[in-house]
Amino acid sequence: MDPLNYPLEQLMTIKKKRYDGAVKILEEKKALLAKEEEKLKVLESERNEVLKHKTDKLTKLRKEMDTGTTSGKIQEMKRYLKVVEEKLIAKQKKVTEQGKNVSFATKQVEIAKTDLFQKQKDVEKLQIHKKEWEKEVRYFANQKEGVEQDELGSMGTTRLNKETKKQKEHQ
């Protein structure tokens, strides 16, 4: 086994891919939320226009009543106000529904953020583990090398001693 070949490298690659995927999902969820918020602004604007129109018509009706107009014209204005009121209610329902969509999209963004954070922690844990593992491998490799050096040194000394003894015996 190559001492620098991290055994959890495949797992680290998988975790990084999952993290990258979570980043993409978060970006998509944020884009969806922005779209939903934009739709909500448009619908609120439309509702506010209808509300302003209704207010204007109510003001006009009051002025007509104050000036003393025919009852037919007043009845016609009241019927028109009912139509405007129905439009306003429909617009308000749309705004409420879109508000629910925005709320749902916000929750989805929060879920995606939580998921991204968890995946980031997983990657960081593996990176820390890899650093610790590399330190440990280096330490044991240095220990092994030291032992081998000691053995080589002692073998050299033993051989030298034997040669010295042989030379003394021959003399």
Side-chain angles (χ1 to χ4, degrees):
M1 182 173 111
D2 182 12
L4 298 177
N5 187 14
Y6 184 54
L8 300 177
E9 194 66 43
Q10 286 180 334
L11 181 61
M12 186 176 264
T13 304
I14 291 169
K15 296 283 185 180
K16 283 182 182 177
K17 284 183 183 176
R18 287 182 181 168
Y19 172 76
D20 293 341
V23 168
K24 286 181 183 177
I25 289 172
L26 179 60
E27 289 171 0
E28 290 170 3
K29 298 292 182 181
K30 283 183 176 180
L32 182 65
L33 175 60
K35 244 189 227 181
E36 295 294 334
E37 286 174 340
E38 189 59 35
K39 284 182 188 176
L40 180 61
K41 285 180 185 177
V42 168
L43 289 173
E44 285 176 339
S45 172
E46 291 174 1
R47 179 206 54 202
N48 291 343
E49 286 177 22
V50 172
L51 182 61
K52 184 180 182 318
H53 181 67
K54 177 186 172 190
T55 307
D56 291 344
K57 291 300 175 181
L58 271 174
T59 305
K60 187 176 179 182
L61 175 65
R62 286 187 187 127
K63 282 183 183 177
E64 290 288 327
M65 290 175 80
D66 289 344
T67 59
T69 186
T70 63
S71 63
K73 195 169 185 180
I74 290 175
Q75 290 300 322
E76 184 181 325
M77 291 177 94
K78 283 184 177 181
R79 280 192 297 264
Y80 184 72
L81 272 173
K82 284 183 182 180
V83 170
V84 171
E85 180 67 26
E86 288 172 4
K87 268 188 178 178
L88 182 62
I89 290 171
K91 294 288 183 183
Q92 183 58 44
K93 282 182 182 179
K94 286 181 180 180
V95 168
T96 304
E97 285 298 314
Q98 190 59 32
K100 289 177 185 176
N101 291 346
V102 168
S103 176
F104 179 75
T106 303
K107 287 177 186 174
Q108 293 297 312
V109 167
E110 290 304 315
I111 290 169
K113 281 182 182 178
T114 304
D115 187 46
L116 176 68
F117 179 71
Q118 183 61 42
K119 287 183 170 57
Q120 183 179 13
K121 277 180 25 182
D122 291 345
V123 169
E124 288 173 358
K125 284 179 187 177
L126 272 174
Q127 287 172 339
I128 290 169
H129 180 266
K130 183 177 181 178
K131 287 178 185 175
E132 294 294 320
W133 177 84
E134 286 174 346
K135 281 182 192 176
E136 196 173 301
V137 166
R138 280 192 213 108
Y139 173 77
F140 285 121
N142 290 338
Q143 290 284 67
K144 187 176 179 182
E145 187 178 317
V147 169
E148 288 173 359
Q149 291 295 331
D150 288 347
E151 287 176 3
L152 286 175
S154 68
M155 285 172 48
T157 305
T158 306
R159 189 186 62 168
L160 201 62
N161 288 341
K162 285 184 180 179
E163 287 177 6
T164 309
K165 275 186 180 181
K166 284 185 182 180
Q167 284 178 357
K168 284 183 183 179
E169 288 176 6
H170 286 298
Q171 292 179 350

